[in-house]
């Protein structure tokens, strides 16, 4: 059933816009993932951004959860609320099939935001005989695609069409006749302008509807509220002079290879993918593009899908892609026959950005290729790089990740770490702490009392190798600093730690980071 607004006496012929709106799209996008699909439709879900609710499901709204509500308030109203972090990239990727389906019916689609898009219906309405028929065809196509709740609005302007769509029923269309935009918008509240500061001022002035705001002289609005206020004034009056910019459909660079019959071993899968991957890389090269990040999806005959993102410090060759596929299959295990493998480019860049400069610069490329060969021969975990993250000790701050993977530390460096080592950070961190010894001027071991005071000033010290049985050779202490007391995880007797840090410098100018815990000295790092 369609709803039509009453036309204005000043109706005129103009380009008509249709808005497609899919309510709660961020929630629907998360439900398309393997994590979100585990929860039934009746489960209250909420997506969080900056500690507040960005979007929530209908079940959560029934419990009183609203947008921009703090997490604690939302959980107090709905204790069973399931939360996820909002991912704008996921929204856009999930909406891409919807845009492609609409473009098959009516080319020239403008993306407003994930879940909302606009299209011109002048040509399509002539082909399908009416504007309502265009909306019906698109709705039928989206239902086949698995999007049951889609709503449409048709008007002279994009803003009016969006407000009409938000007042439509599921799979319904609200049509505002030509010239009827101002009359349709007049009773709507000024909050639909989505300008909180302007809306607050208008309400204090007693202007609570778009009609009352549109009745003000445009020059006065421009002088009082500036360009943005004048822009909102035009929208309230039903005039939207923003240019319609249809999106350019993205080029299909994906590589998908299906196996008939399904394959169960890694080597046959990798061998069968080689030709497709060669064509994938050649297709990018012909368009002067290189790929620095890819997604590899593996589909089994059970309907399971595993996906992993891979990055490359330079760009992917066909051999690099095959290596990543082997590593992913080996890590995840082939529990069921594989029916399809998809290679999806995540990050594409112009090939010229990676060409050799005028004064050379090929040495880095040779090093990277050499590292790739070593990694391909020995395995993914054989070549690692250090990533600095959060933590209190140098060993805790250091995370070793396979070369080429995303440099993601296990601990966030943005979090506060009280009791962490003060800067500067040491250059060399020992994977295994080395035995050490610190004595005073009378060769007595130096210790720290319960109140954090030294029993004596460090005079000589020695650092040995792990597992060494020979006596340590003492060297003079040229300078020292400390102690910095350590007390962590005091609530857990098994992992509680209480000690002190010291920085010692020998006469040769070598600086060491030494720790003391329970009368036992050890060396954890060196300042090079």
């Amino acid at each position: 059933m369609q709803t039509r607004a009453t036309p204005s006496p000043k109706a005129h012929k103009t380009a008509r816009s249709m808005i497609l709106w899919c309510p709660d799209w961020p929630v629907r996008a998360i439900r398309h993932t393997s994590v979100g699909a585990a929860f039934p439709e009746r489960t209250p879900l909420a997506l969080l951004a900056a500690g507040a609710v960005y979007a929530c499901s209908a079940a959560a709204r029934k419990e009183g959860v609203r947008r921009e509500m703090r997490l604690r308030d939302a959980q107090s109203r709905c204790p069973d609320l399931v939360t996820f972090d909002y991912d704008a990239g996921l929204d856009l990727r999930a909406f891409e099939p919807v845009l492609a389906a609409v473009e098959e019916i009516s080319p020239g689609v403008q993306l407003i935001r994930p879940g909302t898009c606009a299209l011109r219906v002048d040509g399509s309405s002539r082909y399908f005989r009416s504007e309502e028929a265009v909306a019906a065809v698109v709705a039928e196509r989206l239902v086949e695609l698995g999007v049951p709740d889609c709503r449409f609005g048709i008007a002279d302007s994009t803003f009016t069409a969006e407000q009409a769509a938000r007042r439509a029923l599921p799979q319904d269309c609200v049509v505002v006749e030509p010239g009827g935009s101002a009359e349709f918008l007049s009773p709507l509240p000024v909050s639909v302008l989505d300008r909180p500061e302007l809306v607050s001022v208008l309400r204090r002035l007693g202007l609570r509807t778009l009609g009352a705001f549109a009745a003000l002289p445009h020059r006065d609005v421009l002088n009082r509220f500036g360009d943005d206020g004048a822009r909102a004034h035009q929208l309230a009056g039903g005039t939207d002079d923003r240019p319609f910019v249809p999106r350019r459909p993205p080029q299909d660079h994906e590589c998908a290879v299906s196996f008939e019959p399904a394959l169960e071993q890694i080597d046959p899968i990798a061998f069968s993918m080689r030709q497709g991957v060669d064509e994938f890389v050649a297709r990018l090269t012909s368009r002067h593009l290189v790929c620095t990040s890819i997604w590899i999806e593996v589909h089994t005959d059970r309907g399971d899908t595993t996906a992993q993102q891979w990055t490359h410090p330079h760009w992917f060759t066909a051999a690099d892609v095959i290596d990543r596929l082997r590593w992913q299959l080996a890590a995840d295990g082939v529990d069921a026959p594989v029916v399809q493998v998809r290679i999806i480019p995540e990050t594409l860049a112009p090939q010229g950005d990676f060409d050799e400069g005028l004064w050379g610069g090929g040495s880095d490329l040779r090093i990277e290729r050499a590292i790739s060969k070593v990694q391909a021969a020995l395995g993914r975990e054989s070549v690692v790089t250090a990533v600095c993250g959060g933590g209190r000790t140098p060993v805790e701050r250091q995370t070793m990740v396979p070369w080429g993977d995303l440099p993601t530390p296990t601990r966030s460096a943005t979090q506060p770490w009280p009791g962490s080592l003060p800067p500067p950070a040491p250059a060399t961190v020992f994977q295994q702490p080395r035995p050490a010894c610190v004595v005073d001027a009378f060769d007595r071991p130096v210790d720290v009392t319960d109140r954090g005071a030294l029993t004596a000033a460090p005079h000589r010290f020695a650092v040995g190798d792990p597992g060494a049985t020979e006596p340590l050779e003492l060297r003079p202490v040229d300078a020292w600093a400390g102690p910095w007391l350590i007390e962590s995880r005091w609530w857990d007797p098994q992992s509680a730690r209480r000690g002190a840090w010291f920085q010692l410098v020998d006469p040769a100018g070598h600086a060491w980071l030494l720790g003391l815990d329970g009368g036992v000295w050890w060396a954890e790092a060196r300042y090079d």
Side-chain angles (χ1 to χ4, degrees), residues 2 4 18 105 121 124-141 152 154 173 175:
Q2 292 81 27
R4 304 182 74 93
M18 182 173 76
I105 300 173
V121 293
S124 301
S125 62
R126 289 193 296 268
Y127 180 80
F128 292 102
R129 302 300 180 90
S130 69
E131 297 172 338
E132 295 90 338
V134 179
V137 173
V138 175
E140 182 179 1
R141 178 68 182 91
F152 303 86
I154 301 176
C173 177
V175 179

Side-chain angles (χ1 to χ4, degrees), residues 332-397:
D332 297 337
V334 185
D335 298 332
V338 177
V339 296
Q340 187 186 57
V341 175
R342 295 178 62 202
I343 310 296
I344 306 172
E346 175 73 11
T347 305
L348 297 175
Q351 191 174 19
D353 294 349
F354 295 88
D355 287 342
E356 186 173 333
L358 179 62
W359 307 110
S363 58
D364 292 340
L365 178 58
R366 290 196 298 269
I367 294 174
E368 291 169 358
R369 292 304 178 196
I371 295 176
S372 297
K373 291 180 180 179
V374 173
Q375 192 178 36
L378 301 181
R380 173 174 172 246
E381 305 289 342
S382 61
V383 182
V384 296
T385 56
V387 177
C388 187
R392 293 179 175 84
T393 68
V395 173
E396 290 179 351
R397 295 190 61 192

Side-chain angles (χ1 to χ4, degrees), residues 457-505:
H459 184 68
R460 293 194 300 170
F461 77 105
V463 176
D465 296 325
T469 58
E470 296 80 5
L472 300 180
E473 181 181 353
L474 296 172
R475 68 189 78 179
V477 175
D478 190 60
W480 62 278
W484 294 283
L485 299 182
I486 309 169
E487 187 170 5
S488 61
R489 302 190 66 84
W490 50 267
W491 61 89
D492 185 5
Q494 299 295 331
S495 59
R497 184 180 183 185
R498 189 175 190 277
W501 291 114
F502 287 86
Q503 292 173 337
L504 303 180
V505 181

Side-chain angles (χ1 to χ4, degrees), residues 200 244 267 321 335 361 374 425 454 468 494:
S200 176
F244 185 86
D267 289 340
V321 176
D335 298 332
V374 173
L454 285 175
Q494 299 295 331

Side-chain angles (χ1 to χ4, degrees), residues 168-183:
L169 298 175
Q171 300 182 30
D172 197 0
C173 177
V174 173
V175 179
V176 180
E177 292 290 350
S181 296
E183 184 178 353

Side-chain angles (χ1 to χ4, degrees), residues 252-276:
D252 186 12
H253 298 300
E254 295 184 5
C255 168
V257 178
S258 301
F259 308 125
E260 179 90 17
L263 302 178
E264 301 183 15
Q265 297 181 354
I266 296 178
D267 289 340
I269 296 174
F271 181 79
S272 302
M273 285 292 300
R274 186 169 296 277
Q275 180 179 357

